Amino acid sequence: MGIILEDAVKKATDVREKVCEWRSPEELKELLDLELRDQGESESKILKRCRDAIRYSVKTTHPRFFNQLFAGMEPYSLVASFITETLKTSLYTYEMAPVFTLIEDAVLRKMMEMIGWEEGGDGIFNAGGSMSNMYAMNLARYRYYPDIKELGLSAAPQLAVFTSQESHYSISKAAALMGIGTKNVHMVPTDKRGKMIPSALEEQIESAKRKGAVPFLVNATAGTTVFGAFDPIDKIGEICEKHNLWLHVDACWGGGALMSKKHKYLLKGIEKANSVAWNPHKMLMTCLQCSAFLIRDKTHLLQHCHSARASYLFQQDKFYDVSYDIGDKSIQCSRKPDAFKFWLTWKALGTKELGQRVDRAFEMSRYLAEEIKKREGFRLLMEPEYANVCFWYIPPSLRNLPDGPEFCQKLHNVAPVIKERMMKMGSMMVGYQPHGGNANFFRMVVISPQVSRQDLDFVLDEIHNLGKDL
């Protein structure tokens, strides 16, 4: 415990320490001594293994970690994680997890309230946003073709799913896993900011119908992975109502904006959704994993769709109200009490402070964008809508080149080299990617309240220092 608190909490959140002590895979294999042997090791060696695991891991709680859609240290959530791991329970029945069953229900109800479902609904925490999106696809299909549960794919026609070009890849993965097929996932064009174009959606729905397919699900994204774009849920919802389609909103990243009175307008119309995926482990900083899947339906659709009625778990003659045995709603059997991590944080901070955290993330991302516009050699890809800030760094050697193929080709090589150098230095961690014909650019995600303006200034200074000779 002392090692964890000193090395994985105190040092990992200290801006003076490295984000990562980088080693190549072959070097790390030697350092860690990964081989499993017949005989166990001494306590001193095991403690060294613990220290090494922490030492050579990426410190995502570091104030200069900006690489993913999660970051920062949330102390209350960390304490909750310790407790749930220590108690080592599972959420399939009330008798196994009486406290956590009630806590999950309370958290889901409050999240539904934030979405705007005044009459409530149903939901479940699960192993990640990708699984939440799969739940949505499975439930939507079951609502239209319930016989598919027993008869299989022969009980359904050729189905069509609609999602934006900027949506998460898990939509296509879910279609592949469920036998719908990736070619039956229709990618709807987006505007220059990465938002789904409603008129294009309706055209694709009508086109699919003419070709004999049966549209059944539209996935709208609230906070795309790269640009942080929010699809116009309100207009998409109207189209879904018109064509009797299930509207799912992937708000895994952008759902946090619902906590902010100032910024929840970004999700206008989300109350029309049939289902929502929302990951508190992202903007709201809960420890991984913490992913909620919520549905507006109150007819026990989750239960009917996934129930297998295992007699050794879900006996109907128990001494308590068996409606609290929620495991049969889930695809999983064992399920961790992840809601506790969010509940304890929410109890400690309150809705108001969680909203202020979201507001601060917006303010900090705007500060970063303004600094980028002021600095020579930096170019903003677009004004940020959320906490994603996308930009290029142009070394002095390229600044006199006109925009064109040669410039783009050379610029494309800049970000990967700077990323390599920052990883080996261990000074910070920022992601990059190409996108839509654009040369590689940096994508910084500003989330953690532990991040200061000085940290953001440092990042821009460090990118220049690491790349000015290219």
Side-chain angles (χ1 to χ4, degrees), residues 83 184 191 239 281 380 407 423 453:
I83 292 170
N184 291 313
D191 63 19
I239 293 168
H281 69 239
L380 201 61
F407 173 77
M423 292 299 292
R453 292 189 174 195

Side-chain angles (χ1 to χ4, degrees), residues 249-270:
V249 177
D250 177 356
C252 289
W253 173 217
L258 289 168
M259 307 298 286
S260 165
K261 291 180 180 179
K262 194 184 295 186
H263 298 105
K264 65 181 180 181
Y265 73 90
L266 290 167
L267 297 104
K268 183 185 177 186
I270 194 170

Side-chain angles (χ1 to χ4, degrees), residues 291-363:
S291 302
F293 173 68
L294 308 109
I295 65 169
R296 187 156 45 103
D297 181 273
K298 295 185 71 178
T299 63
H300 305 291
L301 196 63
L302 267 171
Q303 183 86 16
H304 297 316
C305 182
H306 300 126
S307 172
R309 299 176 183 171
S311 59
Y312 65 89
L313 267 182
F314 307 115
Q315 304 94 333
Q316 298 303 297
D317 55 358
K318 292 180 179 178
F319 60 94
Y320 59 84
D321 182 352
V322 295
S323 67
Y324 288 99
D325 287 356
I326 55 176
D328 227 10
K329 295 194 296 188
S330 170
I331 293 171
Q332 300 165 255
C333 180
S334 296
R335 200 162 55 85
K336 298 180 77 169
D338 292 326
F340 182 54
K341 295 179 287 192
F342 189 30
W343 178 84
L344 197 65
T345 302
W346 205 333
K347 288 288 279 187
L349 301 178
T351 307
K352 186 176 179 181
E353 187 166 337
L354 286 172
Q356 288 171 348
R357 279 190 178 181
V358 175
D359 292 342
R360 187 180 186 278
F362 274 84
E363 290 165 11

